[in-house]
Amino acid sequence: MKIFSEIGSYLILLKNVFHIPENPRLYRKKVIFEMRVLCLDSLPIIAVISIFVGAAIVIQLAANLSNPIYPRWITGYSSREGIMLEFAPTMINLVLAGKIGSHIASEIGTMRITEQIDALDVMGVNSASYLILPKIIACVLFSPVVIVVSIFLALMGGWLAGTLTGVISSYDFLDGLQLDYTNKSLIISLVKGLVYSFIISSIPAYRGYTVSGGALEVGRSSTKAVVESCITLIIANLVITNLLI
Amino acid sequence: MIEIKKLYKSFGDKTVLNNINAVFETGKTNLTIGRSGSGKTVLMKTMVGLECIDSGQVLFDGKDMVTMSKKERHSLRESIGMVFQNGALFDSMSVADNVRFPLRMFTNMTNGEMDKRVDFCLDRVNLGNVHTFTTSELSGGMRKRVAIARAIVTNPKYLFCDEPNSGLDPQTSILIDNLIKEITEEYNITTIVNTHDMNSVMGIGEHIIFIHQGNLWWEGTRNEITNTTNQELNDFMFNNELTKLLKASVLEKAVK
């Protein structure tokens, strides 16, 4: 029963979050600030993970598909589809759930236990909207950038690793990459990214906003936020994949 | 003027506030005293709307906060200033931005007008030189004074202070108390201060209510409090080594 009560509280919080801002100008500035803190600062880790995992995927696929019965372009083709449909939107957002999720939950949670949220409420500010909405907007707006950068770097990493280690020729890899390309995979990837970025920003915000107690509880809620975001994201991935493929 | 009538509040089975009735007059420093856990902070939080009440009324100049519309409550909150126990300053902002925040949120002032008002409020709490400081660079007393500056920046009609001098040395406590009293008289606002500091009670307590185990146990002025026969209040006031010594020495002198 507790899970239904939690989902209910989460939805009520979201209702308060999506509220007309008291001062839209201030919110715009906050969105830009959050984009820098939450999203731009995450680009280095996204770049590193994308390059190395992309490289590992290509080397692994090339080794597994080395049997001559498979066409030579299959490694490039499979890498492209795997990276675009699963790695970039799902894996990268799982990583971001840890980085951004813990950041959001601990920031808002600390504000809650130090009465900063109460201070906002007493002033008449809609604290839920003021604190959470800019974070959600920043993550959702930046999501396409994250996805595109991740796809590009993962494929680059794969191409470099494949050709430098000699497991696949540059021609075969690039041939596979271009084979039967339509924008469908990219669109699915972007849709997934938008949904996941909403999940990884709103669930931690809920956990942080509803925390009570002290530093220990903030730590616990932060961990809970990351775990719940990851599980929700995985379930959402299954649903979206089934719906869009 | 703030009036509370038949106020009840409980958390689960535990009744925290039990039939509280009190009147807090405008232009006076009203004190709520009581031991830790007696219900002072909950009473204050119910008055500002941070906690929902079980039953009763909280009347701000005759208008019940509980039954008023969302819009009315919103505009009422804009006329409330509150100083929290630990200041509750926003960590991500400088001192000046903390004080400027309510102005940016709710007024159409230009940047120049806001700067002037922020300067005035920080000068008023004797902190004219900390505008660019971050909140972590401030001492406890400075944090409280910045919180007071932020609370008064929008010219509130009601000022709530939750243990404004807890954790401060006696001299800084007196400074904060005097500041609250001066501001109350200067702007003719209704001020309610939660405290268990007897220095504050004797220094600024024009109207005092004593909360004990969620009940309003005693009500009066600072002149009346020293002559009270209320046992619980006497225990609360004199139950420390210094006051016991002083009381004994006064009695000794009287006997002689």
Side-chain angles (χ1 to χ4, degrees), chain A residues 15-16 19 22-23 25-27 29 33 110-111 113-126 130, chain B residues 41 45 48 50 70 74 77-78 80-82 84-86 88-91 93 101-102 104-107 150 162:
Chain A
K15 183 179 156 257
N16 290 333
H19 198 264
E22 285 93 356
N23 185 339
R25 199 163 44 95
L26 215 58
Y27 274 58
K29 279 185 184 171
F33 174 79
T110 306
M111 288 189 77
I113 64 161
T114 54
E115 295 182 311
Q116 293 176 48
I117 293 180
D118 287 346
L120 286 170
D121 288 334
V122 169
M123 283 176 203
V125 177
N126 177 348
Y130 177 73
Chain B
T41 301
K45 285 189 171 177
V48 296
L50 287 176
K70 225 175 178 181
H74 193 271
R77 279 193 160 151
E78 285 176 31
I80 291 177
M82 184 157 177
F84 286 83
Q85 203 165 343
N86 61 4
L89 300 178
F90 305 127
D91 300 329
M93 299 179 195
F101 182 79
R104 288 172 73 184
M105 210 69 193
F106 299 114
T107 67
R150 187 178 68 184
D162 188 14

Side-chain angles (χ1 to χ4, degrees), chain B residues 146-162:
Chain B
V146 173
I148 294 173
R150 187 178 68 184
I152 61 169
V153 75
T154 49
N155 283 321
K157 282 167 75 181
Y158 315 99
L159 180 64
F160 292 84
C161 306
D162 188 14

Side-chain angles (χ1 to χ4, degrees), chain A residues 105-106 109-110 112-114 211-223:
Chain A
S106 53
T110 306
R112 168 62 77 194
I113 64 161
T114 54
V211 78
S212 61
L216 196 67
E217 280 76 11
V218 173
R220 276 188 195 141
S221 79
S222 189
T223 310

Side-chain angles (χ1 to χ4, degrees), chain A residues 88-172:
Chain A
T90 313
M91 287 295 290
I92 286 297
N93 273 300
L94 278 172
V95 172
L96 289 180
K99 188 183 177 292
I100 293 178
S102 58
H103 180 108
I104 292 175
S106 53
E107 183 192 323
I108 297 179
T110 306
M111 288 189 77
R112 168 62 77 194
I113 64 161
T114 54
E115 295 182 311
Q116 293 176 48
I117 293 180
D118 287 346
L120 286 170
D121 288 334
V122 169
M123 283 176 203
V125 177
N126 177 348
S127 59
S129 175
Y130 177 73
L131 293 174
I132 300 172
L133 189 59
K135 291 185 199 310
I136 293 178
I137 292 175
C139 287
V140 170
L141 283 183
F142 209 77
S143 163
V145 178
V146 169
I147 301 293
V148 170
V149 166
S150 173
I151 291 171
F152 176 75
L153 290 177
L155 293 176
M156 281 294 288
W159 175 65
L160 278 172
T163 50
L164 290 176
T165 55
V167 294
I168 186 168
S169 72
S170 179
Y171 175 81
D172 289 340

Side-chain angles (χ1 to χ4, degrees), chain A residues 10-11 13-15 17-18 93 96-97 100-101 104 132-133 135-143 190-206 229 232-233 236 240:
Chain A
Y10 170 72
L11 294 175
L13 179 71
L14 285 184
K15 183 179 156 257
V17 167
F18 292 101
N93 273 300
L96 289 180
I100 293 178
I104 292 175
I132 300 172
L133 189 59
K135 291 185 199 310
I136 293 178
I137 292 175
C139 287
V140 170
L141 283 183
F142 209 77
S143 163
L190 292 175
V191 170
K192 280 184 172 183
L194 291 176
V195 176
Y196 302 162
S197 56
F198 178 79
I199 290 169
I200 63 168
S201 53
S202 64
I203 291 178
Y206 166 72
S229 303
T232 314
L233 192 153
I240 296 172

